[in-house]
């Protein structure tokens, strides 16, 4: 039985691995982000049954997000995959 249902926009996240202006950065690491996704992961790690509602694109970040939900044992049956729209991303300097 689901104890917590979260709804939100998950995103891909690129994190600069060097200090300086973004136009000069050449190396980034890749993660996922999104406040509601972070809450879902945290609550699931405390042993609660969590489900996540959202949509991702049929792309690298979408697959990364879906895989992470599965790894964290978060119910992703309500996560739809769009062939038309891409998963959003953000850049952290």
């Amino acid at each position: 039985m689901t104890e917590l249902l979260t709804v939100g926009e998950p995103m891909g996240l690129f994190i600069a691995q060097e200090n300086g202006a973004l136009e000069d950065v050449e190396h980034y690491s890749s993660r996922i982000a999104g406040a509601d996704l972070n809450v879902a992961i945290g609550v699931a790690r405390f042993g609660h049954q969590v489900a996540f509602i959202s949509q991702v694109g049929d792309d690298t970040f979408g697959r990364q997000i879906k895989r992470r939900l599965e790894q964290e044992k978060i119910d992703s049956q309500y996560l739809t995959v769009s062939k038309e729209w891409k998963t959003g991303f953000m850049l952290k300097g």
Side-chain angles (χ1 to χ4, degrees), residues 38-72:
N38 291 337
V39 168
I41 290 171
V43 172
R45 287 182 179 177
F46 279 114
H48 296 280
Q49 298 297 315
V50 179
F52 186 68
I53 298 176
S54 192
Q55 178 175 289
V56 294
D58 185 19
D59 52 35
T60 299
F61 283 128
R63 289 185 290 278
Q64 185 179 21
I65 290 163
K66 186 167 177 51
R67 184 176 62 238
R68 182 66 180 276
L69 290 172
E70 292 166 358
Q71 290 170 345
E72 300 288 348

Side-chain angles (χ1 to χ4, degrees), residues 55-59 63 80-86:
Q55 178 175 289
V56 294
D58 185 19
D59 52 35
R63 289 185 290 278
T80 59
V81 178
S82 173
K83 300 261 186 212
E84 181 179 357
W85 300 99
K86 299 288 186 191

Side-chain angles (χ1 to χ4, degrees), residues 7-43:
V7 181
E9 179 187 9
M11 294 171 278
L13 171 63
F14 286 119
I15 304 169
Q17 295 300 296
E18 310 163 15
N19 291 326
L22 286 177
E23 63 265 19
D24 298 327
V25 173
E26 294 183 9
H27 299 96
Y28 295 85
S29 61
S30 174
R31 301 277 191 276
I32 59 173
D36 305 292
L37 181 58
N38 291 337
V39 168
I41 290 171
V43 172

